[in-house]
């Protein structure tokens, strides 16, 4: 290192970002100390001040390190900090800072509601941010943000939201291309209008009765958890879609034509059959279909899926390559008349992989017929995985059914396996 030019030393040390490592490097030599102001990223782990023993205020330590950097691009703070501390740091680096990640940890703080300005308000000083990530956020009121014109990525993990706070925060970021909201509690209805948004992942925690309206003509990937009503009308670019509701029911879905959709995943305890059938109709061009919905039914009563015609289903999804189907949908394809329309010219042209979860020995004969039809008419089928999950029955039919599956697996051992 002593033989290297100063510029090379500065470049090497610029990759050091952990605050503790930087403090150690400061003590190595004067040359190293003079090079450290050229680092571009500062990271303060959760335990940064565990052994501080009250010698110095953590806010002041962070301030000194931030103040020593010539041009800071990225600041990540997981250790505890105060509103005043955050405001002082951002006043120093707001013009150069591009990436900010904060562990807010104020979900249980009573004073967070009354602090003026709040920690969230202070973030508004960094107007040139390109990426903002927040953990453990209490957003009880609308944050006092103007506009983040350069912000492309917003991530909020673990948040308690009230009123219009979330919508207002999103409106302050009009040029987002990526939005991630995980474990957000208190949301009942949200409307998102972001013309440049491409990737969106929303996870609303609670009763599963949230409603979502999304207007983003460039959206390519969308994952939604915890919504009963989902409306996304502009879907020309949508390629990957996941809708899940593990707590409530999915009552209504409203999408445009899903012509570009390649992967569709629908999951949950209960979906209205109208919502299921609409999704399958719109996703006629899908290549990967994952279905794990336990029951249907428009009201409290949990009902099984109605009968689904085997031929009509695969003719309606001619590009399907990978089909992962859980018990309820598989049972719907195994009803008395599901296979009646199979003709000699019928084929499943593109299907390559099938994963089937079987939970009941009921209708064993029809289920075996459907399995055999998938192998027989799937001309390009390479893999079939049969998952036997929690099959409970005191009757010998369960053993007989499993024996039939084992025989079927042996007869088609190059393609079929049991898990």
């Amino acid at each position: 290192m002593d033989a290297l030019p100063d510029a090379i030393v500065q470049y090497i040390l610029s990759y050091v970002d952990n605050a503790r490592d930087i403090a150690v490097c400061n003590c190595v030599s004067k040359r190293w100390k003079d090079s450290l102001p050229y680092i571009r990223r500062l990271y303060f782990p959760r335990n940064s001040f565990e052994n501080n023993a009250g010698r110095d205020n953590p806010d002041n330590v962070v301030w000194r390190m931030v103040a020593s950097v010539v041009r800071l691009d990225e600041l990540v703070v997981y250790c505890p900090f105060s509103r005043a501390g955050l405001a002082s740091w951002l006043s120093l680096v707001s013009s150069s800072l591009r990436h900010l990640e904060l562990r807010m940890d104020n979900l249980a703080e009573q004073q967070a509601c009354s602090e003026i300005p709040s920690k969230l308000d202070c973030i508004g000083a960094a107007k040139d941010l390109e990426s903002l990530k927040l953990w453990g956020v209490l957003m009880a009121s609308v944050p006092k943000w103007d506009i983040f014109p350069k912000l492309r990525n917003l991530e909020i993990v673990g948040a308690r939201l009230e009123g219009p706070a979330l919508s207002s925060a999103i409106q302050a970021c009009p040029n987002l291309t990526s939005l991630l909201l995980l474990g957000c509690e208190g949301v009942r209805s949200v409307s998102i209008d972001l013309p440049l948004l491409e990737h969106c992942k929303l996870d609303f925690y609670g009763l599963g009765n949230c409603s979502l309206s999304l207007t983003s003509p460039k959206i390519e990937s969308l994952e939604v958890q915890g919504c009963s009503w989902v409306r996304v009308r502009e879907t020309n670019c949508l390629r990957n879609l996941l809708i899940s509701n593990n707590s409530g029911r999915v009552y209504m879905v409203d999408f445009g034509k899903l012509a570009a959709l390649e992967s569709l995943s629908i999951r949950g305890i209960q979906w209205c059959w109208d919502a299921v059938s609409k999704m399958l109709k719109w996703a006629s061009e899908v290549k990967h279909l994952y279905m794990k919905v336990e029951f249907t039914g428009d009201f409290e009563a949990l009902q099984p899926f109605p009968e689904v015609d085997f031929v009509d289903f695969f003719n309606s999804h001619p590009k399907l390559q990978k089909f992962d189907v859980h018990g309820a949908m598989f049972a719907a394809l195994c009803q008395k008349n599901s296979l009646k329309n199979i003709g000699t010219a019928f084929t499943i042209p593109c299907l390559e992989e099938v994963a089937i979860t079987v939970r009941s020995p009921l209708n064993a004969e029809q289920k075996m017929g459907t399995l055999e039809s998938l192998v027989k008419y799937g001309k390009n089928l390479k893999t079939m995985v049969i998952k036997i999950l929690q099959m409970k029955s005191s009757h010998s039919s369960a053993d007989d059914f499993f024996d039939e599956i084992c025989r079927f697996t042996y007869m088609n051992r190059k393609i079929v396996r049991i898990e």
Side-chain angles (χ1 to χ4, degrees):
M1 291 286 282
D2 291 339
L4 295 176
D6 288 346
I8 300 299
V9 175
Q10 292 172 8
Y11 177 78
I12 293 172
L13 293 179
S14 70
Y15 284 92
V16 180
D17 59 5
N18 190 297
R20 286 188 169 185
D21 296 337
I22 292 170
V24 171
C25 290
N26 263 323
C27 301
V28 173
S29 68
K30 184 178 184 301
R31 190 182 186 212
W32 278 37
K33 185 175 181 179
D34 292 342
S35 298
L36 287 172
Y38 298 96
I39 62 174
R40 309 301 293 269
R41 183 178 188 268
L42 268 176
Y43 166 53
F44 293 86
R46 184 70 173 169
N47 61 350
S48 294
F49 301 100
E50 277 188 356
N51 301 318
N52 191 40
R55 289 191 297 270
D56 203 351
N57 186 296
D59 285 347
N60 294 335
V61 175
V62 177
W63 185 90
R64 286 199 297 270
M65 296 192 74
V66 169
S68 68
V69 179
V70 173
R71 182 180 176 83
L72 190 65
D73 283 347
E74 183 172 354
L75 177 62
V76 180
V77 182
Y78 286 169
C79 62
F81 61 89
S82 69
R83 174 200 59 79
L86 177 61
S88 65
W89 313 334
L90 295 182
S91 67
L92 293 172
V93 297
S94 59
S95 61
S96 66
L97 199 62
R98 297 293 178 266
H99 308 279
L100 178 62
E101 183 170 354
L102 301 172
R103 183 164 176 166
M104 307 287 281
D105 280 348
N106 63 351
L107 282 174
E109 294 179 4
Q110 297 299 322
Q111 70 270 24
C113 298
S114 57
E115 281 185 336
I116 300 176
S118 66
K119 289 181 180 179
L120 277 174
D121 294 338
C122 295
I123 295 172
K127 297 183 183 300
D128 291 329
L129 285 177
E130 296 175 3
S131 175
L132 175 61
K133 301 179 182 180
L134 303 174
W135 299 72
V137 181
L138 176 61
M139 196 179 289
S141 57
V142 175
K144 293 179 174 60
W145 296 347
D146 290 330
I147 295 292
F148 293 102
K150 298 180 180 179
L151 195 67
R152 298 293 182 268
N153 177 56
L154 175 62
E155 298 183 14
I156 300 177
V157 181
R160 186 177 299 136
L161 311 169
E162 295 181 16
L166 176 60
S167 294
S168 296
I170 293 174
Q171 287 173 10
C173 315
N175 298 315
L176 287 179
T177 59
S178 178
L179 174 63
L180 183 145
L181 306 174
L182 295 183
C184 293
E185 183 181 357
V187 179
R188 295 295 302 273
S189 177
V190 61
S191 178
I192 299 173
D193 188 350
L194 295 169
L196 302 180
L197 190 66
E198 297 176 355
H199 305 282
C200 184
K201 185 173 183 179
L202 309 173
D203 176 16
F204 298 116
Y205 176 77
L207 299 176
N209 58 352
C210 181
S211 66
L212 168 69
S213 176
L214 176 67
T215 304
S216 299
K218 293 188 177 182
I219 192 72
E220 296 179 5
S221 176
L222 175 62
E223 297 184 24
V224 181
Q225 151 63 25
C227 287
S228 289
W229 296 268
V230 181
R231 183 187 299 274
V232 185
R233 295 301 299 159
E234 299 186 60
T235 56
N236 289 335
C237 299
L238 190 60
R239 294 181 315 198
N240 301 295
L241 175 61
L242 183 152
I243 303 176
S244 175
N245 195 335
N246 298 324
S247 301
R249 303 175 190 84
V250 176
Y251 287 107
M252 188 276 290
V253 289
D254 185 9
F255 285 78
K257 177 65 175 177
L258 300 172
L261 195 68
E262 297 179 359
S263 175
L264 172 64
S265 177
I266 59 175
R267 314 179 187 196
I269 302 299
Q270 183 180 10
W271 281 53
C272 293
W273 181 248
D274 181 65
V276 174
S277 59
K278 282 182 176 179
M279 290 306 309
L280 292 177
K281 179 181 178 180
W282 292 327
S284 59
E285 304 296 312
V286 73
K287 296 179 181 178
H288 178 196
L289 179 59
Y290 181 98
M291 296 188 65
K292 187 181 179 182
V293 179
E294 303 285 351
F295 300 97
T296 184
D298 294 338
F299 303 103
E300 295 289 337
L302 301 176
Q303 299 178 357
F305 280 22
E307 183 176 279
V308 175
D309 187 274
F310 185 88
V311 174
D312 182 63
F313 175 81
F314 284 103
N315 283 342
S316 300
H317 303 87
K319 297 181 180 180
L320 191 61
Q321 296 177 1
K322 185 175 181 181
F323 188 29
D324 196 328
V325 57
H326 203 262
M329 183 62 184
F330 177 61
L333 289 165
C334 302
Q335 296 302 306
K336 181 178 180 181
N337 296 315
S338 294
L339 303 177
K340 70 176 183 179
N341 293 320
I342 292 181
T344 55
F346 172 70
T347 61
I348 308 173
C350 298
L351 192 64
E352 298 179 357
E353 299 178 39
V354 177
I356 299 171
T357 301
V358 182
R359 301 186 63 174
S360 169
L362 297 176
N363 298 326
E365 182 178 349
Q366 288 92 331
K367 288 178 179 177
M368 292 308 305
T370 299
L371 292 174
E372 291 167 357
S373 297
L374 285 168
V375 173
K376 180 178 180 180
Y377 297 104
K379 300 302 182 182
N380 293 304
L381 190 64
K382 298 176 181 177
T383 303
M384 175 184 286
V385 178
I386 303 174
K387 303 176 183 180
I388 309 296
L389 181 64
Q390 299 175 346
M391 186 182 293
K392 297 179 181 179
S393 177
S394 58
H395 196 270
S396 61
S397 61
D399 294 333
D400 295 340
F401 181 42
F402 188 74
D403 288 342
E404 285 295 309
I405 291 177
C406 290
R407 180 192 62 78
F408 171 75
T409 302
Y410 178 77
M411 296 295 293
N412 300 279
R413 53 189 175 276
K414 292 184 178 180
I415 296 176
V416 184
R417 72 175 190 271
I418 297 175
E419 288 186 1

